[in-house]
């Protein structure tokens, strides 16, 4: 009997990526919620280099870093493949997953911005990324998702980041993924978040808002 | 083997560890390719066409289809040409190899670059500390002659090519044999591996690259 455990933070886009992957493939797992301000000893044992989640433990073997974890899951459980089969398409997918992950630094900057100048700078950085995706990734009008008719790992990678962006939009009362600026991306996200398994596993917006407020207070000493 | 119908072109700048990663992979697999030298301070139209997002080398173009990001390219090469595998076939070992390669980029390359292109003593001190922290993990991880095994080189070795590039070619001592005995030996062995030796640049070429890199970084800072 195979044992899968996921150590993560319910609000992290990286943990979300792994969760969605497991859920989409129907893989049973034990979810272990970690407290970022009080992580279990195992996190430091399993991930001495980065000391962070998500961490997947499969039959006692730990794996870190969300992109590596999801590719591993896709290999071990190949039904409902989330990575493209064609090697060129797979290379493109890896490129865009990295691009999505790279958005996190601007998102983090925005989440922890303490004045309007920092805020504007961070939003502009996020817009730069969104612009690239808007211009480059939606040229095939037949495709509803990056994966075609169904979502794939690139949808998941961008989806987890955009979810966090929507939380920041509400929390800071700013518009980031504006329809006028990014019509295709905007439409894509509306479709993505309504995919049944994604919808069922989307962290609650209010809960995330409260958590963001709490984090900002803790890290900035203010809201 | 690449048949005459398959066209493989590689855009690069000699001296770039990212380029050399790809060259080692191509050489290991016996793939013939056309090499096009670019200019970091005056990027070619071809480069801008094939990598519009990052405008960086290396870029591999296979039958008119471009791929960028050195580790993505190396994985693509491994996926497409099956002889002399670069990544392990076991999914868990494969995931670990990907982890260490990513670690090279996240922690080691950045620290090494700062170390080499240091601006002042304080920065150099900090860079040395960061580099040593990162290298300690690598030192512990190295169990055989190479990261991939006793006689074969693999994905992690290839990702780490910047080490012999600096230690052996540029003769910039990143570390001593006293502090990092295994890495010290690995660097020499990897540099002397027939495939690697064939593609390594000369010391002069490497310094030309450092200069161009420093210039392009300075120009970026100004903007």
């Amino acid at each position: 009997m195979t044992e899968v455990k996921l150590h993560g933070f319910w609000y992290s886009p990286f943990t979300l990526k792994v969760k969605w992957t497991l859920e989409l493939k129907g893989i049973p797992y034990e979810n272990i919620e970690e407290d970022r301000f009080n992580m279990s000893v195992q996190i430091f044992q399993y991930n001495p280099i980065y000391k962070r989640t998500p961490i997947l433990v499969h039959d006692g073997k730990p794996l870190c870093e969300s992109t590596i974890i999801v590719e591993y899951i896709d290999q071990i459980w190949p039904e409902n493949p989330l990575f493209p089969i064609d090697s060129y398409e797979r290379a493109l997918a890896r490129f865009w997953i990295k691009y999505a992950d790279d958005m996190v630094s601007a998102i983090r900057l925005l989440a922890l911005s303490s004045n309007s100048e920092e805020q504007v700078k961070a939003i502009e950085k996020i817009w730069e990324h969104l612009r690239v995706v808007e211009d480059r990734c939606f040229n095939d009008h037949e495709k509803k998702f990056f994966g075609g008719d169904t979502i794939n790992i690139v949808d998941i990678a961008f989806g987890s980041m955009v979810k966090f962006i929507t939380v920041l939009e509400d929390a800071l009362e700013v518009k980031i993924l504006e329809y006028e600026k990014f019509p295709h991306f905007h439409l894509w996200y509306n479709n993505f978040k309504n995919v049944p398994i994604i919808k069922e596993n989307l962290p609650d917006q209010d809960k995330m808002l409260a958590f963001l407020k709490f984090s900002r207070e803790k890290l900035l000493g203010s809201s | 083997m690449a048949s005459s119908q398959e066209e493989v072109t590689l855009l690069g700048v000699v001296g770039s560890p990212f380029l050399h990663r790809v060259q080692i992979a191509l050489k290991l697999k016996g793939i013939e390719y056309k090499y096009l030298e670019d200019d970091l301070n005056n990027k070619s139209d071809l480069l801008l066409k094939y990598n519009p997002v990052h405008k960086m080398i290396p870029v591999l173009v296979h039958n008119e289809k471009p791929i960028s990001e050195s580790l993505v390219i190396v994985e693509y090469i491994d996926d497409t040409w099956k002889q002399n595998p670069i990544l392990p076939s076991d999914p868990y070992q494969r995931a670990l190899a990907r982890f260490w390669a990513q670690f090279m980029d996240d922690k080691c390359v950045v620290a090494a670059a700062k170390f080499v292109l240091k601006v002042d003593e304080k920065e150099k001190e900090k860079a040395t500390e960061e580099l040593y922290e990162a290298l300690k993990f690598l030192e512990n991880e190295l169990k055989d002659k190479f990261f991939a095994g006793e006689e074969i080189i693999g994905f992690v070795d290839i990702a780490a090519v910047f080490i012999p590039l600096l230690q052996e070619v540029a003769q910039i001592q990143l570390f001593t044999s006293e502090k990092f005995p295994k890495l010290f030996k690995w660097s020499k062995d990897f540099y002397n591996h027939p495939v690697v030796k064939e593609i390594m640049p000369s010391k002069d070429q490497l310094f030309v690259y450092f200069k161009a890199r420093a210039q392009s970084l300075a120009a970026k800072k100004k903007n």
Side-chain angles (χ1 to χ4, degrees):
Chain A
M1 188 58 208
T2 212
E3 195 191 56
V4 179
K5 296 188 191 191
L6 174 64
H7 294 257
F9 304 137
W10 63 268
Y11 49 82
S12 156
F14 301 108
T15 301
L16 203 50
K17 218 158 90 184
V18 179
K19 254 198 198 138
W20 282 341
T21 300
L22 291 165
E23 295 287 344
L24 282 161
K25 286 180 173 278
I27 299 164
Y29 65 99
E30 186 190 337
N31 188 52
I32 299 166
E33 197 53 45
E34 292 286 340
D35 176 354
R36 149 195 246 123
F37 301 108
N38 187 22
M39 290 200 287
S40 62
V41 174
Q42 288 167 310
I43 302 301
F44 301 100
Q45 283 170 351
Y46 290 147
N47 195 354
I49 293 179
Y50 298 102
K51 306 178 184 59
R52 64 188 180 198
T53 68
I55 298 174
L56 189 86
V57 189
H58 181 210
D59 291 337
K61 294 182 293 191
L63 273 180
C64 322
E65 300 307 289
S66 63
T67 301
I68 289 166
I69 294 171
V70 298
E71 192 146 8
Y72 171 79
I73 292 170
D74 208 49
Q75 253 201 294
I76 299 280
W77 291 275
E79 325 75 38
N80 303 331
L82 291 171
F83 276 81
I85 311 283
D86 171 72
S87 55
Y88 184 70
E89 294 299 318
R90 197 154 56 237
L92 287 183
R94 288 188 183 123
F95 176 89
W96 288 113
I97 293 167
K98 185 166 196 293
Y99 198 76
D101 284 354
D102 286 347
M103 284 171 75
V104 79
S105 62
I107 291 173
R108 208 172 264 147
L109 273 174
L110 183 58
L112 297 177
S113 57
S114 52
N115 59 52
S116 64
E117 199 191 320
E118 282 178 10
Q119 208 178 84
V120 166
K121 233 173 145 189
I123 292 177
E124 275 171 7
K125 271 196 119 69
I126 298 174
W127 277 344
E128 268 175 46
H129 276 91
L130 297 180
R131 176 92 271 136
V132 168
V133 182
E134 176 72 26
D135 289 347
R136 306 217 161 265
C137 297
F138 297 104
N139 296 318
D140 185 350
H141 299 292
E142 305 274 305
K143 279 166 71 165
K144 189 175 180 191
F145 298 114
F146 292 96
D149 292 325
T150 53
I151 61 174
N152 77 357
I153 197 65
V154 179
D155 296 280
I156 289 174
F158 280 119
S160 58
M161 290 294 155
V162 174
K163 170 61 187 171
F164 211 93
I165 289 174
T166 65
V167 173
L168 288 172
E169 282 180 327
D170 283 350
L172 304 171
E173 290 173 353
V174 290
K175 285 232 143 291
I176 305 172
L177 186 57
E178 293 176 69
Y179 176 77
E180 295 75 30
K181 283 195 164 78
F182 313 103
H184 297 103
F185 210 164
H186 195 269
L187 179 64
W188 164 82
Y189 185 66
N190 272 334
N191 288 328
F192 174 79
K193 69 183 185 190
N194 284 310
V195 168
I197 290 185
I198 300 296
K199 198 170 183 179
E200 280 161 37
N201 291 284
L202 216 49
D204 179 70
Q205 189 83 344
D206 289 333
K207 209 175 159 201
M208 281 196 83
L209 280 168
F211 175 76
L212 180 62
K213 188 162 186 244
F214 166 76
S215 296
R216 281 172 63 82
E217 276 164 19
K218 192 145 186 161
L219 294 161
L220 289 174
S222 69
S223 59
Chain B
M1 294 282 180
S3 67
S4 53
Q5 292 152 309
E6 297 206 52
E7 232 183 67
V8 181
T9 305
L10 178 60
L11 278 76
V13 171
V14 171
S16 158
F18 307 105
L19 167 70
H20 297 313
R21 284 174 174 170
V22 178
Q23 287 177 312
I24 293 171
L26 289 166
K27 204 123 217 128
L28 267 175
K29 303 254 179 192
I31 299 160
E32 278 168 28
Y33 63 98
K34 184 165 102 182
Y35 174 70
L36 294 173
E37 174 78 7
D38 218 291
D39 182 346
L40 284 181
N41 292 309
N42 185 19
K43 295 177 181 179
S44 69
D45 289 339
L46 213 57
L47 176 58
L48 299 177
K49 170 182 165 192
Y50 285 137
N51 191 356
V53 178
H54 298 300
K55 307 177 180 63
M56 282 303 291
I57 57 95
V59 179
L60 187 84
V61 188
H62 182 207
N63 295 335
E64 289 294 301
K65 294 185 288 192
I67 303 138
S68 50
E69 298 296 297
S70 60
L71 295 179
V72 174
I73 298 172
V74 174
E75 282 217 59
Y76 172 78
I77 291 168
D78 205 41
D79 280 347
T80 307
W81 290 277
K82 301 296 185 189
Q83 66 276 23
N84 302 333
I86 290 169
L87 276 141
S89 51
D90 172 70
Y92 187 68
Q93 294 303 321
R94 207 176 173 89
L96 290 181
R98 286 195 177 115
F99 174 83
W100 286 106
Q102 187 181 303
F103 171 73
M104 295 293 172
D105 276 353
D106 286 346
K107 298 277 179 187
C108 305
V109 172
V110 176
K114 279 194 217 164
F115 181 88
V116 171
L117 300 170
K118 79 267 171 196
V119 177
D120 55 51
E121 275 315 301
K122 207 171 167 203
E123 271 194 41
K124 187 180 177 180
E125 238 183 80
K126 193 164 175 252
T128 312
E129 242 183 80
E130 276 179 36
L131 187 60
Y132 270 43
E133 272 299 309
L135 292 178
K136 268 192 271 180
F137 286 113
L138 284 185
E139 179 78 12
N140 278 334
E141 179 57 20
L142 194 49
K143 295 169 181 66
D144 290 308
K145 182 173 178 185
F146 297 116
F147 285 101
E150 215 14 68
E151 285 309 325
I152 46 162
I153 59 174
F155 198 55
V156 182
D157 300 282
I158 290 172
V161 71
F162 66 95
I163 293 177
L165 210 57
L166 293 170
Q167 283 277 115
E168 317 302 329
V169 180
Q171 288 165 342
I172 292 171
Q173 200 176 52
L174 289 176
F175 49 80
T176 60
S177 61
E178 288 79 35
K179 292 218 163 91
F180 295 92
K182 290 193 277 176
L183 267 183
F184 194 83
K185 182 172 182 297
W186 170 85
S187 180
K188 292 210 181 299
D189 287 337
F190 189 62
Y191 172 69
N192 284 308
H193 187 284
V195 165
V196 178
K197 196 143 197 171
E198 246 190 278
I199 61 97
M200 283 268 116
S202 70
K203 189 171 179 176
D204 285 340
Q205 284 175 315
L206 194 52
F207 276 87
V208 167
Y209 169 75
F210 285 158
K211 194 169 173 202
R213 192 87 182 95
Q215 273 178 295
S216 92
L217 278 170
K220 248 193 218 160
K221 269 191 185 151
K222 268 198 193 144
N223 298 335

